[in-house]
Amino acid sequence: MSKLKLFSIITVLSLFVVVHFLIILLTVGPSNPISMTIRPFLITYSSVFFAQNWHLFAPEPISRNSYVYMQVKKENEIDNNEERWIDITNPVIHKNNENPLTPYNRIVRIVEGMVTDYYGQHQDEYIFKYKTALEKEKNADQIEQDEIAKIIKEEEKSKNKKGEERLYRYASSYAKAAYPNERIEAVRIRVMIYDTIPFSKRNEADIEPKKMDDVVLEWKKINDDVIKFF
């Protein structure tokens, strides 16, 4: 390899490393005019492998458990029996618990992200805090505040649509794996949200988490573009 070619490779790699860490710094650092201007790009770049938010910590810790179920409609068969809902959340969690150093660790977080998007909730810390402030306090510039609230509402609708589409893709992939020798026509999704059990009551045998939401979506044609989940 010539010295010029080696120098070119080293230069390109060095520039990539510098740009990469600059992007990560802007993503995780305090909000500023530059980071807010290019925030869509920052989120797209960093969320591929490095998705992270700080809702695990006080004062806004995660306070729910989400579970996704599916039903399948096979060719020439209608399956509407609610007792036959297939859990497509806990098996992945169990696989991850057995060995966190596998792709299941990423999949667990992806499923939770789908549910978060479906409910139109924000994982972006800046928007999360700003929305909370809007709900708690009103200022003199009500017109500007209403416009910003409208923009956030539109974004929530967009997130809901994307979250629902991804849930159906996930269910389609799982259905193909669960029924490899059968033709699946459609899938239906159910999302159940439960409140978390307080740590102080974790050992009480008779305590059950409170159900916060239970949504059953409509039947949709199975997605032919996705591959089997496993």
Side-chain angles (χ1 to χ4, degrees):
M1 183 182 294
S2 65
K3 290 184 178 180
L4 179 59
K5 189 173 183 179
L6 180 60
F7 177 76
S8 299
I9 294 174
I10 293 175
T11 302
V12 171
L13 289 177
S14 299
L15 287 173
F16 171 77
V17 171
V18 171
V19 173
H20 169 76
F21 279 101
L22 179 61
I23 292 173
I24 298 302
L25 181 63
L26 287 171
T27 302
V28 302
S31 299
N32 58 72
I34 297 176
S35 65
M36 292 308 301
T37 301
I38 61 174
R39 196 154 193 81
F41 166 74
L42 296 178
I43 293 174
T44 300
Y45 179 88
S46 62
S47 64
V48 176
F49 296 107
F50 310 105
Q52 177 67 62
N53 63 67
W54 301 103
H55 296 173
L56 175 64
F57 308 100
E60 298 291 346
I62 296 174
S63 58
R64 72 175 194 196
N65 288 317
S66 309
Y67 301 96
V68 182
Y69 301 84
M70 74 171 181
Q71 285 182 323
V72 299
K73 185 182 293 184
K74 302 173 187 176
E75 192 174 50
N76 300 322
E77 178 185 342
I78 298 179
D79 184 359
N80 291 323
N81 186 353
E82 290 192 6
E83 295 181 357
R84 299 184 63 182
W85 285 103
I86 301 170
D87 184 351
I88 57 177
T89 302
N90 280 312
V92 179
I93 294 175
H94 294 157
K95 286 287 187 181
N96 177 62
N97 291 341
E98 291 173 2
N99 187 354
L101 301 178
T102 66
Y104 286 106
N105 181 265
R106 173 68 175 167
I107 295 170
V108 167
R109 290 182 283 128
I110 290 175
V111 174
E112 177 61 30
M114 293 175 187
V115 175
T116 299
D117 284 344
Y118 173 74
Y119 280 93
Q121 296 170 336
H122 293 282
Q123 297 191 47
D124 185 283
E125 193 69 14
Y126 182 85
I127 297 177
F128 183 84
K129 288 183 177 180
Y130 192 85
K131 184 182 176 184
T132 302
L134 282 179
E135 294 171 349
K136 289 183 177 180
E137 184 178 349
K138 297 290 185 180
N139 58 37
D141 196 347
Q142 186 63 48
I143 296 178
E144 180 182 354
Q145 201 170 64
D146 289 345
E147 284 298 317
I148 295 173
K150 182 179 177 181
I151 292 172
I152 293 177
K153 193 68 176 178
E154 290 299 319
E155 184 185 354
E156 289 174 349
K157 290 180 180 179
S158 175
K159 288 172 71 67
N160 169 265
K161 182 178 179 181
K162 291 179 180 178
E164 183 174 321
E165 290 174 353
R166 290 167 181 165
L167 283 171
Y168 276 107
R169 287 178 62 87
Y170 174 59
S172 295
S173 177
Y174 204 106
K176 289 180 180 181
Y179 300 95
N181 300 319
E182 301 184 59
R183 291 183 61 84
I184 308 298
E185 289 186 355
V187 293
R188 181 163 65 170
I189 294 171
R190 183 178 189 178
V191 180
M192 302 180 73
I193 308 294
Y194 287 89
D195 196 3
T196 54
I197 297 176
F199 186 78
S200 59
K201 299 180 179 180
R202 68 191 185 283
N203 295 322
E204 297 182 14
D206 57 343
I207 188 171
E208 292 186 3
K210 178 183 176 182
K211 185 188 294 185
M212 301 171 65
D213 202 9
D214 187 352
V215 180
V216 178
L217 304 182
E218 63 183 12
W219 288 101
K220 282 194 176 182
K221 184 179 180 298
I222 192 168
N223 192 314
D224 295 324
D225 296 332
V226 298
I227 61 175
K228 294 179 182 178
F229 182 71
F230 51 81

